[in-house]
Each structure stands twice: as C-alpha cells, then as structure tokens.
Amino acid sequence: MAAGLRAVRRWGLVAAAPGLAFTRSAFVVKKANNAQPNWLGVGLAFSTSAALWAFLIKQHSENVMEYERRKQERGHKCTGCS
C-alpha cells in the first residue's frame, strides 16, 4: 500500500495544495504590437547573423587554403628536403 502511495505522489497524481494553484507565472503573454517593431532586436538579430556568416566564410577559406597547402606537401617527394 505504501509503495502505491509513493508512486501516486511521484507521478503527480495527487491534487496540488490550493495555495499553489494561484501562483504567478514567470512568463507574461501580451499582445504583439506590429505597428512598432523592436528595431534594436531586429538589428541585433541581423547583425549577429551577418557576423556569423562572415566568420563562417572566412574560416572556410582558411580551411581550403590549409587543405591545398597540405595536399601540395604530400605530393612533394624530394629526398633532399627530408
């Protein structure tokens, strides 16, 4: 019998105390104002995206250059260098 009560409590099948039912939520829902967009948020979103794309393209070009350099080193079979 005690194991059954523990399972009921663990799964939350027991009704919550009345004082806990009327707590405030941390998330507040309000109607979006589409007439005045949040331009600071829009600017931050686009600039962050542009910066990440620039970093990605720069990193890709560096990786391609390193790949080409290593490919040429593998093809170099000179006995005087080593």
Side-chain angles (χ1 to χ4, degrees):
M1 181 71 181
L5 287 176
R6 280 194 301 259
V8 167
R9 284 187 193 136
R10 184 182 317 140
W11 293 327
L13 300 176
V14 177
L20 297 178
F22 297 104
T23 58
R24 291 182 59 186
S25 174
F27 304 102
V28 179
V29 177
K30 61 181 178 179
K31 193 172 184 179
N33 185 4
N34 292 330
Q36 287 189 322
N38 180 4
W39 289 111
L40 178 64
V42 171
L44 283 172
F46 278 119
S47 62
T48 303
S49 178
L52 287 173
W53 272 105
F55 176 74
L56 179 70
I57 291 169
K58 178 182 163 285
Q59 190 68 38
H60 174 69
S61 64
E62 288 176 1
N63 288 346
V64 168
M65 286 173 34
E66 180 70 14
Y67 170 75
E68 294 294 332
R69 185 187 65 79
R70 289 183 182 193
K71 191 166 88 173
Q72 281 186 352
E73 280 183 1
R74 277 194 317 264
H76 186 73
K77 302 282 187 198
C78 174
T79 56
C81 294
S82 48

